[in-house]
Amino acid sequence: MWSRPLRIAIQTLASVLALLLMPPHFALGQKPKYEKITIHNDEPRRDVSGAIVDAHDGNLQFFNGRYYLYGTAYGETAGFSINNRFRVYSSADLEHWVYEGELLKAPTDGVYYRPYVVYNAATKKYVLWYNWYPKLWNGQVGVATSESPVGPFTIINPNVHLSQAVDHPGDGSLFVDRDDNAYFVYTVIDQGHAIRVEHLSRDYLSSTGETSAVLAKGCEAPAMFRHEHDYYVLFDSACCFCAKGSGARVFKSSSPLGPYTQLENINRDAEKNPIVHGQQTFVASIPTADGRALIWMADRWGSRPDHIKGHDFQYWTPLTISPDGSIAMLTNTTDWSLSIEVGRKAPPPKKVYAWPQKVDPNPVMIDPCTKAPLSPAEAGEILSKKSVRRGAPR
């Protein structure tokens, strides 16, 4: 039996190790630390191994002292095959990214888009909602959970019964309010691509059936957030991986389910052309030295110089909201800086990602967006030896 001094020494050592393993500003009650970082919109992000970050049409979150970027990986396909995958990267500073792996390890074959992850404080689960098609465009929405922000996520329901499920839900996004109520804002395909907001259950795994009126039709890529006492939903016309980009109509309400009032379109100039040639994916809330900053995120489809879809750039920029609740017009800015909260140090990077590509039994040989013929590799009809060997090309 150990002596009392030895037990005390062991307990002290254990306490010291626990403190060393804690996130920097969580240990000993230290205040958060902030650091000025610079975001570059004219080049692709890369992970610490040098590989291009392939994570599109998803969201950015700050969980437990670290930033997590969730998105769809497209690799060398055109984006319509069963080889779309969900993945996550993490960072302490939004500049140095670590590949953390896939979110769903064994999803049913289908075409997957738009993964959005939030945290449920009551269940202590990370919850993933996503849009997928067993067959284009038979829209369904799935939900999965995990104990960790990096997964793996277990599918709870691949076909959530939303109030408008019979009309095939399309792309959507999650929003969690300050009272921990969650909402799903999404496109209803068979209602003319109508945009609705739907209230979720307390565990975020299903719908309460409470839904808003239609905000607009002919639209997609919605995002929802709150600023002070106002709720905002941003989206614009459907653009199907459009290189020209899409606008960002602003809808504002004093209640998450509306009624909403349409304000300006912050991503169209006087000639109605997109200011930023990108399609919106999310509005992230980032901790900074001056409080939370709202970051507008968009995918710049068709921007890759090497013609590899997984290498398309993303565009991030802070939103400026006036006292009257209006949002300033976007500007096409190459670089910008912000003092953000510094997160926890990076875990060791994982081994080189092996692209889990397989032959699509029903390849889409004509691009649904451009109507142009697709190569067998773009359609997922054949495997790319380069992709299988080294992961998404660098």
Side-chain angles (χ1 to χ4, degrees):
M1 197 158 180
W2 291 338
S3 65
R4 185 171 181 275
L6 182 57
R7 290 200 307 271
I8 293 174
I10 292 173
Q11 291 170 354
T12 301
L13 179 60
S15 298
V16 170
L17 289 174
L19 287 173
L20 291 174
L21 292 173
M22 290 175 70
H25 61 266
F26 291 100
L28 301 176
Q30 293 179 4
K31 293 182 178 180
K33 295 182 180 180
Y34 300 93
E35 180 179 296
K36 187 176 181 179
I37 56 97
T38 299
I39 298 296
H40 303 279
N41 288 319
D42 60 343
E43 60 187 39
R45 291 177 180 80
R46 293 181 180 270
D47 65 21
V48 293
S49 74
I52 291 177
V53 171
D54 186 358
H56 301 82
D57 52 74
N59 69 335
L60 174 68
Q61 297 283 18
F62 186 69
F63 290 137
N64 194 28
R66 193 161 176 80
Y67 297 93
Y68 294 91
L69 177 63
Y70 301 91
T72 308
Y74 291 107
E76 298 180 37
T77 73
F80 302 102
S81 84
I82 62 173
N83 291 303
N84 294 357
R85 314 298 284 190
F86 293 153
R87 62 166 60 167
V88 55
Y89 297 81
S90 73
S91 175
D93 56 11
L94 301 182
E95 292 184 325
H96 301 89
W97 294 96
V98 174
Y99 169 67
E100 295 278 10
E102 283 193 61
L103 297 183
L104 299 174
K105 292 299 181 183
T108 302
D109 282 352
V111 185
Y112 288 75
Y113 300 106
R114 297 192 174 272
Y116 290 85
V117 175
V118 295
Y119 180 69
N120 188 302
T123 63
K124 295 181 172 54
K125 298 275 191 180
Y126 294 89
V127 182
L128 162 69
W129 280 60
Y130 56 92
N131 165 223
W132 77 293
Y133 302 89
K135 182 179 180 181
L136 294 174
W137 300 97
N138 180 20
Q140 296 183 20
V141 170
V143 61
T145 64
S146 174
E147 303 285 344
S148 164
V150 299
F153 283 78
T154 300
I155 296 176
I156 303 299
N157 187 351
N159 190 9
V160 178
H161 185 68
L162 296 168
S163 67
Q164 313 300 309
V166 67
D167 289 326
H168 298 117
D171 53 7
S173 176
L174 289 173
F175 162 69
V176 177
D177 205 354
R178 296 170 190 170
D179 60 3
D180 290 333
N181 275 290
Y183 300 86
F184 187 60
V185 54
Y186 65 104
T187 305
V188 188
I189 296 174
D190 293 347
Q191 292 180 11
H193 278 75
I195 302 294
R196 290 182 181 266
V197 179
E198 193 143 337
H199 186 201
L200 303 185
S201 59
R202 294 298 292 181
D203 59 9
Y204 306 170
L205 302 182
S206 61
S207 169
T208 64
E210 301 173 90
T211 186
S212 71
V214 172
L215 276 66
K217 292 188 176 184
C219 299
E220 64 181 9
M224 184 176 180
F225 63 93
R226 178 175 177 174
H227 175 69
E228 297 183 349
H229 300 294
D230 293 320
Y231 296 88
Y232 294 82
V233 176
L234 275 59
F235 56 84
D236 202 36
S237 304
C239 83
C240 195
F241 291 139
C242 56
K244 67 179 181 181
S246 182
R249 304 179 204 178
V250 177
F251 287 75
K252 183 169 76 77
S253 174
S254 59
S255 170
L257 294 180
Y260 279 85
T261 300
Q262 184 173 354
L263 304 181
E264 62 285 301
N265 191 319
I266 61 173
N267 193 36
R268 290 193 183 273
D269 59 22
E271 286 72 42
K272 307 301 182 184
N273 296 315
I275 298 169
V276 175
H277 296 282
Q279 184 182 33
Q280 172 184 274
T281 179
F282 193 63
V283 176
S285 179
I286 299 301
T288 76
D290 299 317
R292 307 292 293 194
L294 295 169
I295 307 300
W296 186 79
M297 301 169 61
D299 290 293
R300 294 178 54 202
W301 304 121
S303 61
R304 66 271 189 185
D306 57 9
H307 306 293
I308 295 174
K309 189 174 190 61
H311 292 179
D312 275 344
F313 300 174
Q314 288 191 323
Y315 186 97
W316 296 0
T317 189
L319 293 179
T320 301
I321 302 181
S322 301
D324 64 1
S326 62
I327 303 178
M329 298 291 289
L330 299 181
T331 57
N332 202 333
T333 305
T334 301
D335 305 304
W336 55 274
S337 298
L338 192 67
S339 292
I340 67 166
E341 182 174 338
V342 178
R344 292 183 285 113
K345 293 182 179 180
K350 294 189 176 181
K351 62 182 180 180
V352 175
Y353 182 69
W355 190 256
Q357 197 173 24
K358 54 186 175 180
V359 175
D360 193 327
N362 299 295
V364 176
M365 301 307 299
I366 301 296
D367 191 311
C369 298
T370 65
K371 310 305 179 185
L374 297 176
S375 70
E378 290 175 320
E381 188 178 27
I382 62 172
L383 301 181
S384 166
K385 294 181 181 178
K386 184 178 181 181
S387 290
V388 172
R389 182 177 68 253
R390 298 197 57 189
R394 300 185 180 186

